[in-house]
Amino acid sequence: MNERRIVVASLAVAVAVAGGTTLATGQPTVFAQTPLGVAIYAFVGVAIPQHVVAMQTGSEVRLGFAGIAGMGALAAIMAGYARGGVNDPWSVGFASLLMAIVFGSIIGSVVREFRAGYRAGTAEGSR
């Protein structure tokens, strides 16, 4: 499975899980306005796909990024408990930052795939 599909599929799964949590709890989890929503997007939307891609490519940088995202998810849950609950709404600013990270990951994978395809096409054309 290529990198872009992994990232897009994991984002879709993260939105589905957050949506299900929103329906179950009645909180704005799908918009990452709760610690639980932030943790879902950080873990399912960023950490898992980066870990899978790191295992396929052997990239230590991606593995480190997956670890940082996983620790961010854990930190969000811990901060939620410290502030009163994992479903208490947070400000929108953090959700915007998190979405920028997720979409940045998607855009980065698309650019890498484009470059790989371009290099492969250029190598074939020079033969």
Side-chain angles (χ1 to χ4, degrees):
M1 192 171 205
N2 75 14
E3 188 175 318
R4 182 180 50 183
R5 287 184 183 164
I6 292 170
V7 172
V8 170
S10 65
L11 180 61
V13 170
V15 170
V17 170
T21 305
T22 295
L23 291 175
T25 63
Q27 296 294 327
T29 306
V30 75
F31 300 115
Q33 291 184 349
T34 65
L36 184 58
V38 170
I40 289 170
Y41 284 114
F43 190 73
V44 178
V46 179
I48 290 176
Q50 292 302 318
H51 183 267
V52 170
V53 171
M55 292 296 108
Q56 289 179 348
T57 62
S59 172
E60 292 179 5
V61 173
R62 287 183 178 272
L63 190 58
F65 186 62
I68 290 170
M71 293 303 290
L74 181 62
I77 293 294
M78 290 174 22
Y81 276 121
R83 294 182 70 190
V86 294
N87 278 324
D88 291 342
W90 278 0
S91 68
V92 179
F94 190 72
S96 299
L97 176 65
L98 181 65
M99 291 307 291
I101 292 170
V102 170
F103 285 118
S105 177
I106 291 172
I107 291 168
S109 68
V110 169
V111 168
R112 280 187 294 279
E113 288 294 322
F114 175 78
R115 285 182 181 170
Y118 180 77
R119 287 181 185 141
T122 304
E124 289 177 9
S126 64
R127 292 182 186 173

